[in-house]
Amino acid sequence: MASDAQNNPFIRNLASSDKKVRDQALDSLRTYLGAQSHISELDLLKLWKGLFYCLWMQDKPALQQRLSRDLASLVSTLRAPVVFPFLRAFFTTIAREWGHIEALRLDKYLYLIRQYVNASFSFLSRNKWKRDLLEQWNSVVEEIPLECQDMKIPNGLRYHVMDVWVDELEKFGGDEWESEDRSEILEELIVPVERMAKEGKLKPLREAAKECLADERLRAWRGQEDEVLDQSEEDDEEVEWGGFAD
């Protein structure tokens, strides 16, 4: 499964316990990526398969977190036309490989996903939350991590992205999200979550989206803290089953 990464010395060097070797490999990757104005989808998927297993091979917790932060920092080195294809390849890879992640390895990938949500918001923030960029970001999110209907997308990925959404967004403005000039940006950012709350194929997905939207911080930013939440929803037969009747 990890043969591509194991046979690639560059990828092995990224997972090295030797800081000098690891930093040199990361610098080389940053230099390469930063020089590209276009990278094909196939090449990005090949790269991300290698990076996925680079983290797979890293066993030391402290180095796992360092590597995840380093991988997320790659977004800041990319030229604008490469950013969203790179993010799409990342989420595609995580979705594809999710079923292979063992329980003991799950935490490091959850941390990597959190770092990538953060890196995405950081890119949008640096670019003044431009509407066209927000739309491109939403397109990636609605296509993969918060896609509403396709059960080939792992629900664990969906749940985790919604779980970290407000935490990471808070780091880029905090209470400033309450200001009127940010309201339109905020409403655009939460479109994928609101869509999941309405259109999620399974009731637990819709409920998870509603929990995200009900976060006290998000409600305060949206000026909803005094509103009464309507939690009612008809039971869904495809999700809930009360067992055989007596």
Side-chain angles (χ1 to χ4, degrees):
M1 186 189 301
S3 59
D4 286 357
Q6 292 169 341
N7 292 330
N8 187 325
F10 176 73
I11 296 298
R12 283 205 308 273
N13 287 346
L14 274 175
S16 173
S17 58
D18 186 320
K19 185 177 185 301
K20 183 176 180 181
V21 171
R22 190 174 64 247
D23 287 350
Q24 287 176 344
L26 183 66
D27 287 343
S28 296
L29 181 56
R30 283 178 174 146
T31 299
Y32 165 74
L33 290 175
Q36 309 305 310
S37 57
H38 172 78
I39 306 176
S40 72
E41 179 183 12
L42 180 59
D43 285 342
L44 285 170
L45 290 173
K46 287 180 178 178
L47 171 64
W48 263 111
K49 184 174 183 180
L51 295 177
F52 180 93
Y53 285 109
C54 170
L55 183 57
W56 180 283
M57 293 184 290
Q58 182 54 260
D59 294 325
K60 298 179 180 179
L63 293 181
Q64 290 170 6
Q65 293 196 359
R66 166 68 185 274
L67 179 57
S68 291
R69 292 192 295 270
D70 286 344
L71 293 179
S73 74
L74 294 173
V75 176
S76 66
T77 71
L78 300 173
R79 296 187 179 186
V82 180
V83 170
F84 293 110
F86 187 80
L87 293 174
R88 181 176 284 104
F90 164 71
F91 283 117
T92 298
T93 300
I94 294 294
R96 184 189 64 227
E97 302 294 341
W98 187 272
H100 302 304
I101 303 175
E102 303 145 338
L104 292 176
R105 285 187 164 99
L106 183 58
D107 281 352
K108 58 184 173 183
Y109 287 104
L110 295 179
Y111 186 75
L112 178 65
I113 293 165
R114 178 185 284 272
Q115 293 304 305
Y116 260 82
V117 172
N118 180 283
S120 300
F121 288 155
S122 179
F123 168 76
L124 294 171
S125 176
R126 289 196 306 275
N127 286 276
K128 311 299 182 184
W129 307 98
K130 293 178 182 176
R131 187 173 185 83
D132 65 318
L133 298 180
L134 291 174
E135 291 174 350
Q136 290 182 70
W137 163 243
N138 282 354
S139 178
V140 172
V141 172
E142 292 177 349
E143 177 186 339
I144 309 168
L146 294 188
E147 197 281 335
C148 294
Q149 296 290 318
D150 186 358
M151 288 298 99
K152 292 181 181 178
I153 301 296
N155 285 332
L157 173 58
R158 290 178 167 117
Y159 291 134
H160 187 59
V161 168
M162 289 188 284
D163 190 47
V164 305
W165 196 265
V166 179
D167 288 346
E168 298 311 312
L169 189 57
E170 185 179 30
K171 297 173 183 177
F172 298 95
D175 291 341
E176 292 179 16
W177 286 113
E178 295 183 35
S179 64
E180 186 174 343
D181 60 340
R182 284 228 176 177
S183 62
E184 187 174 343
I185 296 169
L186 181 59
E187 293 306 310
E188 185 72 23
L189 276 167
I190 63 174
V191 164
V193 183
E194 290 197 314
R195 181 162 293 166
M196 180 66 75
K198 296 176 182 177
E199 302 176 15
K201 188 169 185 178
L202 302 178
K203 184 177 180 181
L205 290 174
R206 297 194 297 275
E207 290 182 337
K210 289 176 181 178
E211 286 181 13
C212 178
L213 295 171
D215 186 288
E216 291 182 358
R217 294 164 294 177
L218 182 56
R219 286 175 56 75
W221 301 340
R222 302 178 77 188
Q224 297 177 331
E225 61 268 36
D226 295 328
E227 296 179 9
V228 177
L229 288 177
D230 180 7
Q231 297 292 345
S232 63
E233 180 178 359
E234 294 182 4
D235 291 340
D236 294 82
E237 293 182 359
E238 80 276 11
V239 177
E240 295 188 343
W241 178 63
F244 294 109
D246 293 334

